[in-house]
Each structure stands twice: as structure tokens, then as C-alpha cells.
Amino acid sequence: MTMSNAGARRKAPTIHDVAREAGVSRGTVSRVLNGGHYVSPAAREAVDAAIKSTGYVVNRHARSLITGRSDSVGFLLTEPQERFFEDPNFNVLLRGCTQALAAYDIPLLLMLAGTQDERRRITRYITAGHVDGVLLVSSHSGDPVAEELRAAGVPLVACGKPIGHASKVSYVAADDRDGARDMVRYLHQSGRRRIATVTGPLDTPGGVDRLAGYREVLAELGIAPDDRLIEHGDYSRAGGEAAAERLLAAAPDLDAVFVASDLMAQGVLSALHRAGRRVPEDVAIGGFDDSPAALASSPELTTIRQPWDRIATEMVRVLLAQIGGEDPAAVILPTELIERRST
Amino acid sequence: MTMSNAGARRKAPTIHDVAREAGVSRGTVSRVLNGGHYVSPAAREAVDAAIKSTGYVVNRHARSLITGRSDSVGFLLTEPQERFFEDPNFNVLLRGCTQALAAYDIPLLLMLAGTQDERRRITRYITAGHVDGVLLVSSHSGDPVAEELRAAGVPLVACGKPIGHASKVSYVAADDRDGARDMVRYLHQSGRRRIATVTGPLDTPGGVDRLAGYREVLAELGIAPDDRLIEHGDYSRAGGEAAAERLLAAAPDLDAVFVASDLMAQGVLSALHRAGRRVPEDVAIGGFDDSPAALASSPELTTIRQPWDRIATEMVRVLLAQIGGEDPAAVILPTELIERRST
DNA sequence: CATGTCTCTGTGAGCGTTCACAGTAGAGAA
DNA sequence: TTCTCTACTGTGAACGCTCACAGAGACATG
């Protein structure tokens, strides 16, 4: 039984204890801990053994104190939180980032900055150097926190293209425009001719780009633009429902709707159902996001999948690169059309 | 313009700078920072002014190094993560905990321990003292991580009653049994006489207690137990669907089903629909959780709401108390019946 | 043999804070 | 006056680590 002092919780072993146990100096132990350069094989072995036998774990506070790094990053949500926390995509993103960071042994600090007060507190916390970088989630433009952090020189990667920021800030985003193009083209190919759309909020890049994709394809197909076929939503179920009602009133002959989010598509589905339109027989519905909502709907939604896991991985990669001194970068990832029963 | 050195990111002011600026010693500044006892009003004022003028923010690493505390807590998820991250209740919980902690200026570290490797890494991290306490989310019993942390003396609060742990571990949970009782009593009061149930997994406290509540009420009503009316699910949509099919086969005369989760209730709804039973006319459905799934179903589900926001608040309160030296505690919170269209 | 280069090792200093302790000044009591 | 007590203040010494530096061999080069 090598229980030694397990469960004692008396005093954690320090680098000094390891050094003594291994018969080397603190410096050598430290070198082993940090990559092991300029360490003889014998010394490294002795240190590794000593680490194991003492159960040594590096004290991050001591390390951070001297290095100035914290070896942690923040996941910052500056939205009114309800919206995002309700969004299943958000969870995939959060999980993906946590996992990607875990691979580097970097803990993720979850920060919510819904109110003005919280924003101030968190900005202070971040600029004080308590995290090495920030993964920023905030769909709306003109986020003051982003600008403040950028100005303070904090490494920063946004999820989605931050609009309104002329300045250089890294971001990772799905190709919204291309996804929208795919969906509209697909609806047209399956024989639909009066294709309407429910957009997202137009102060979000996703809202803008998905609408742009819709318009582009119609133009390329030589279909004249028709404003009656365009209604705006707010990414919520209720918003989708209301928009669908307006569409039905303005353009009762529509035979397809490209909806800029699955959640809104659920609302559209309800409205159509109430209006007595069958899906997909009378009206085809194309969603966006491939959220669980797409599967929970009946019929299940044909939709555009955003590669949230890859987005998470890329955000972490870009952030770590930036922490390592590289320049900001933008990454655009392709989407995928998922065919289900609503078209 | 009092820009002073804003945006410089050169060198953060230390307690020393503040002391010099205020014309006092480090010790006095430190005392102001930590409650301000034994500090003259004049000194305190000078220090406060100096803090403001220098933009000083305490260096948590230095503080943690000497105090041994980290002033942060972990939010640990030991489940296979998909299940939980899909669960909207989880999000409310996570958000609630983050916010409750923010009120104490304590950051939350999100930790996912899905695989064996991750579990080891994270246990190491935690027992090394890098967090002061852990909020544990893990529905299944016999969680080795929980036991390890408890043994290591790490303050710990579980979400939901940990079964299989004879040992003293704090937890906060909704009153599952009472919620189930409410629902079954309600179904009976609305005239249903053949009330079936789809249970959760019986290795979860929720599964066990909700079933117990169901049985109790029937017994109290003098209704003889009938095993054909009880089927087991796994909290998944598909599981609910399968269970409902078995129920319909074994007890075709059922006129109500108490389903131990909304997600399963969705599956039950599908199965009933396929079998040509109308809800609520032929069969009443009672769910549990009041998750968004309850609203996404048609008809919308009558269900039992768990007070997730209060659960979060209480978990944080109990954890902080425990970090402060208090003994473990169990908190049971009342549920609420939400009446909708499925009954 | 002197010199340089390369790998490896130990040592002292210091990161920014808190804590224990010693010390000061003023008030009140003897 | 002198002593004690209280309220306040300053000072070293940690905390556990990394980093810069110096130095020791080993080996090659001139």
C-alpha cells in the first residue's frame, strides 16, 4: 500500500519536496515541469518518479504570480442571458469550448454580463489579467465590452462576425450566406416557386447574411424580388409565429418558407398548422441551425447545420494562437444542408 | 481627461503603488481591502481614493498563494455530457449558479468529466486546491468522483439526492415525491381512474421518488397496485415512446399517464397519437420538469415545475456555507403543478 | 593547450499579497 | 506621573513558483 499521506489534506507537496525526493534542485524540477528542455534523462526520470510518489500537483497561483499568465480563459456572454441559454446551439458551443480547452489543461471560466453592473465588474476582472483571453459570445452589434477588451489588448475571439467593429477582432463563424443559398436553391430545385423567408434580427450578422443569401439566389434564378415574401423575426418561436401570420396575410400563395432559425421555424409551423396549410404538401419549410428543435418539430425540419463543434474548436485554436502572440484571424466554416420531412 | 495610463497594459499597479499614493503602508491597504477593520477613517479614505486613482485591482494569484483559498468554485458535470447539455433545465441551473456566485464575486469554473481520463485530471485539479468547492451535477448513483472529493475533504454540494452515498454529502433537490403525488392526485381528481406511469431510470433518485409518489397516492386512494400500469423509461424521448407502446399493449384501458419527464412525455404523446388515442380526451398526460419540451409539445403539457433557479441559489448558498466551515446540509425545495392542455 | 560551444545543474531573487508581530499614540484610570 | 488599554500602523517574512544567471563538465576546434 503506497497510501503515503493520502487523504491527509495537511500540506500539499511543493516543488521543493519533489526536488529533495528526486535528489535534484528546484530548478531542475521546474524545467521538467515546463517541457523538460535542458534536463538529462536521468534527472527527468528521477523527477517524474518523485512527482508520482509525492503526488505533487503544481500550484497554479504561485506559477501565475510570477509568469503573469493565468492559464485560464473566460467564456463571456454579454447577451440578455435567457435568450442564449435557451438556445441549444449555445450549449454545444459551450461544451465544445470547454472540451477543446481541457485538451490543453486550461480551465474555462463562465462569465455572464447581462446587466451594466456585471459588465463593469467583469471587464475589470478580465483586464486585471485574471484570464489570458476571452471567448466572446454576443450576437448583437456594438458591444461595448468587446471594444473595451480589444482596446485593453486582451486576446479575444468572437463567435460570429461582430458587425460594427471596423477594428481587428478575431472571429469564427459559419458561412451563413452560403447556408442560406443552399437552402433556397434546394427549395427551388424541389419545385417551389413562391419562396418566402422569415429573417433573423437585422442587427445580427446572421440575420443579415442569411437574408442576403436568400436574395442572391432568387436574383440568380431570375425571380423578381417581392417584399411581401420577406418578414422579420427575432429568433424566437413566438416571433416566427407572428412573422408567418404576416406572411400568410401578405402572400397567401406562398409554397415555401426559408426560416432563419429552427426555433422560429417551430413558430412558423404552428401558424401554418392553424391556417390549415399542410407541411410539406402545401408549404415547404426550411430552417437554420439544426438545433434539437428541428427534431422536436413535427414534421422534423429540413435545416442548415452549423458546425458548432468545429466552431468551438476553432475559437479555442484561434484564441490560444492569439495568446501565443499571433495576429487576429477570421475563420469561416462551411454549413451543411440536412434533409428531413418538412420539405 | 484623467486617462493617466489607461490602455497602457504596461504594469498593473500593486498594493505598493496604492500605499505610496495614499501615504500609508502595504498593511493598511491590505486591511482596507479585507474588510477595513482597525483602519482609521482618514486612512481608509486615502486608500479608497488611491485605489480609484491608480485603477488598482487585487492580484488574486498573489492573494491565493498566501491564503490557500482560490476564491473560485467548480461546476462539475460527470455525466456523459450530451444528455445534460441537451437538457434545458441544466442551463437554467448553470446560469443560476453563475449568477448566484457572481453576487459574491466568485468565478465559476465549468468542468466536464465525461471520460475516465478527464475524471482523473479534474479530480487532481480539484484536490490540488485550485477551487474552494464544487457544485456537482450527476444524476446517476455511485459516482466515484463524488466519493473521492468527499474523502479528500473538498466542500461539495450535489444537485439532486445522491443515492448510494451513506456518507454525509450536501445536496439540494426538488421534492420529487411530493411533485409526483401532486400530479397523480390531480389526475385522479380530474376523473381519471386507470392512471399509468412511465418512470425514470431507477438508479436515479428522481426515478425512484417519482415512482414512490405515484404508488403512495394510489394506495391512499385505495386503488389496488397494477404492475401493468408501470413501465420504465430512461428520460429520453425514444424511451418514453417505447414505454408507452408497452403500456398500451399491457393495459389498453388506461386513461392517464404520469410520465416522469417532459421529454419522455413527448415520446408518449407520439405513441398515443400513432395508436389513435386523443390527448387529453382519451388519455391525460402529466409530465415532469416543465422544460421547454412541455411547451413544444402539442398539446402543451401539464407538468411539474422544478424550481431550478432556487435550486441554483440554494446550492451556492450551501456550498459557500460549507466552505466557510459549516456542516453539510440537505435542502428540499417544493415543486409546482403547471396546468396546460394535456390533461 | 587555450578557447569556444553545448548541455546540464544549482542558486538567489522576486512575483504581489497576507499575516503575525512589534510598535506608536492617545485616552482613561490609578 | 505612570500604567494599562485600545485603536491603529508599519515591517519583515513567508507562500510556491519561475527566471536569469553563473558555473561545471564534456567535447570539439583552433
Side-chain angles (χ1 to χ4, degrees):
Chain A
M1 292 289 175
T2 52
M3 292 291 288
S4 53
N5 56 357
R9 200 160 178 73
R10 268 302 80 201
K11 206 114 179 58
T14 75
I15 204 174
H16 224 113
D17 301 321
V18 175
R20 190 161 19 77
E21 181 87 6
V24 299
S25 72
R26 290 176 357 251
T28 301
V29 176
S30 177
R31 275 183 288 266
V32 171
L33 254 33
N34 297 285
H37 300 299
Y38 292 94
V39 177
S40 68
R44 184 205 315 273
E45 240 167 81
V47 170
D48 282 340
I51 287 177
K52 200 156 293 175
S53 80
T54 53
Y56 171 78
V57 177
V58 63
N59 181 324
R60 289 178 170 233
H61 300 306
R63 171 182 285 176
S64 293
L65 181 55
I66 190 160
T67 61
R69 282 172 286 118
S70 70
D71 293 323
S72 67
V73 318
F75 187 98
L76 177 57
L77 198 57
T78 62
E79 288 300 301
Q81 294 132 27
E82 293 71 24
R83 170 172 310 166
F84 254 106
F85 265 92
E86 268 179 21
D87 184 345
N89 293 320
F90 165 78
N91 304 316
V92 178
L93 185 68
L94 179 54
R95 171 157 56 100
C97 287
T98 309
Q99 282 177 319
L101 285 167
Y104 299 92
D105 212 12
I106 296 178
L108 176 149
L109 275 64
L110 183 60
M111 317 177 144
L112 308 180
T115 70
Q116 190 56 38
D117 255 13
E118 288 175 341
R119 254 188 285 279
R120 236 197 319 274
R121 197 174 46 74
I122 286 179
T123 308
R124 245 174 103 84
Y125 183 87
I126 293 174
T127 51
H130 294 313
V131 294
D132 293 339
V134 173
L135 300 163
L136 180 69
V137 178
S138 124
S139 70
H140 284 266
S141 62
D143 192 328
V145 176
E147 188 47 41
E148 233 172 302
L149 295 179
R150 204 198 51 75
V154 178
L156 185 69
V157 177
C159 172
K161 180 163 61 181
I163 59 180
H165 285 277
S167 39
K168 282 275 189 201
V169 39
S170 291
Y171 69 89
V172 177
D175 197 334
D176 287 300
R177 172 183 308 236
D178 203 58
R181 291 178 56 95
D182 281 349
M183 178 59 81
V184 176
R185 220 183 284 116
Y186 167 81
L187 290 171
H188 186 265
Q189 274 164 12
S190 35
R192 309 291 170 162
R193 288 301 173 266
R194 289 286 285 169
I195 305 175
T197 188
V198 175
T199 75
L202 294 188
D203 58 344
T204 67
V208 173
D209 288 350
R210 291 170 203 178
L211 174 56
Y214 165 84
R215 287 198 156 122
E216 278 176 18
V217 171
L218 291 194
E220 286 166 19
L221 291 169
I223 299 174
D226 184 345
D227 279 352
R228 288 169 301 178
L229 291 176
I230 300 180
E231 280 293 343
H232 305 297
D234 60 356
Y235 284 147
S236 83
R237 196 185 147 88
E241 197 161 344
E245 274 161 10
R246 292 195 300 273
L247 279 180
L248 285 172
D253 60 333
L254 58 83
D255 61 1
V257 188
F258 163 52
V259 190
S261 87
D262 288 344
L263 210 57
M264 289 199 297
Q266 283 198 322
V268 172
L269 236 33
S270 298
L272 288 175
H273 183 73
R274 220 177 23 252
R277 311 286 182 107
R278 292 166 306 164
V279 175
E281 294 84 350
D282 303 330
V283 180
I285 302 288
F288 209 105
D289 287 344
D290 193 28
S291 68
L295 282 172
S297 305
S298 82
E300 297 178 344
L301 286 173
T302 293
T303 189
I304 298 291
R305 174 175 295 165
Q306 300 205 55
W308 288 106
D309 43 353
R310 280 201 60 201
I311 291 178
T313 318
E314 286 298 303
M315 283 180 73
V316 166
R317 193 184 57 74
V318 171
L319 182 63
L320 294 184
Q322 215 169 317
I323 290 172
E326 280 186 29
D327 282 338
V331 178
I332 309 284
L333 298 170
T335 59
E336 186 189 359
L337 192 145
I338 307 292
E339 206 170 343
R340 297 214 182 82
R341 315 303 312 267
S342 69
T343 55
Chain B
M1 291 294 174
T2 52
M3 292 293 288
S4 54
N5 55 358
R9 201 160 178 74
R10 264 308 78 196
K11 206 115 180 57
T14 76
I15 204 174
H16 224 114
D17 300 322
V18 175
R20 190 159 21 78
E21 181 87 6
V24 299
S25 72
R26 284 171 10 244
T28 301
V29 177
S30 179
R31 275 183 287 267
V32 170
L33 254 33
N34 297 284
H37 299 299
Y38 290 95
V39 177
S40 68
R44 186 207 313 274
E45 239 168 81
V47 169
D48 282 340
I51 287 177
K52 201 156 294 176
S53 81
T54 54
Y56 171 78
V57 177
V58 65
N59 182 323
R60 294 184 158 215
H61 300 305
R63 171 182 285 174
S64 293
L65 179 57
I66 191 158
T67 61
R69 283 173 286 119
S70 72
D71 293 323
S72 66
V73 318
F75 187 97
L76 177 57
L77 198 58
T78 63
E79 288 300 300
Q81 295 132 27
E82 292 72 24
R83 170 173 311 167
F84 254 107
F85 264 92
E86 268 179 22
D87 185 346
N89 293 322
F90 164 79
N91 304 316
V92 179
L93 185 69
L94 178 55
R95 172 157 57 101
C97 288
T98 309
Q99 282 178 319
L101 284 167
Y104 299 92
D105 213 11
I106 295 178
L108 177 150
L109 275 66
L110 182 61
M111 318 177 142
L112 308 181
T115 70
Q116 190 55 39
D117 254 15
E118 289 176 340
R119 256 188 284 278
R120 235 197 319 277
R121 198 172 48 72
I122 286 178
T123 309
R124 247 173 101 83
Y125 183 86
I126 294 173
T127 51
H130 294 314
V131 293
D132 294 337
V134 173
L135 300 163
L136 181 69
V137 177
S138 121
S139 70
H140 284 264
S141 63
D143 193 326
V145 176
E147 189 46 44
E148 233 171 302
L149 294 179
R150 205 199 49 76
V154 179
L156 186 69
V157 177
C159 171
K161 182 164 60 182
I163 59 181
H165 286 277
S167 39
K168 282 275 190 200
V169 38
S170 291
Y171 69 89
V172 177
D175 198 334
D176 286 301
R177 171 181 310 233
D178 202 59
R181 293 178 54 96
D182 282 349
M183 178 61 81
V184 176
R185 219 183 286 115
Y186 168 80
L187 290 171
H188 187 263
Q189 274 164 11
S190 36
R192 310 291 171 163
R193 287 302 173 264
R194 289 287 284 168
I195 304 175
T197 188
V198 175
T199 76
L202 294 188
D203 58 344
T204 66
V208 172
D209 288 351
R210 292 169 202 179
L211 175 56
Y214 165 85
R215 286 199 157 119
E216 280 176 16
V217 171
L218 291 193
E220 287 166 19
L221 291 168
I223 298 174
D226 183 344
D227 278 351
R228 288 171 300 179
L229 291 176
I230 300 180
E231 280 294 343
H232 305 297
D234 59 355
Y235 283 146
S236 81
R237 197 185 146 89
E241 196 161 344
E245 274 161 11
R246 294 195 300 273
L247 279 179
L248 284 172
D253 59 334
L254 58 83
D255 61 2
V257 188
F258 163 51
V259 191
S261 87
D262 289 343
L263 210 56
M264 289 198 297
Q266 283 198 322
V268 172
L269 236 33
S270 298
L272 287 175
H273 182 73
R274 221 178 18 253
R277 311 286 183 107
R278 290 166 307 162
V279 176
E281 293 84 350
D282 304 330
V283 180
I285 301 290
F288 209 106
D289 286 344
D290 192 29
S291 69
L295 281 173
S297 306
S298 81
E300 296 178 347
L301 287 172
T302 293
T303 188
I304 299 290
R305 173 175 297 167
Q306 302 205 52
W308 288 107
D309 44 353
R310 280 202 60 201
I311 292 180
T313 318
E314 286 298 303
M315 284 181 72
V316 166
R317 194 185 57 74
V318 172
L319 181 64
L320 294 183
Q322 214 169 317
I323 290 173
E326 280 185 29
D327 282 337
V331 177
I332 309 284
L333 298 170
T335 60
E336 184 189 358
L337 192 144
I338 307 293
E339 204 170 345
R340 297 214 182 84
R341 314 303 312 267
S342 69
T343 54

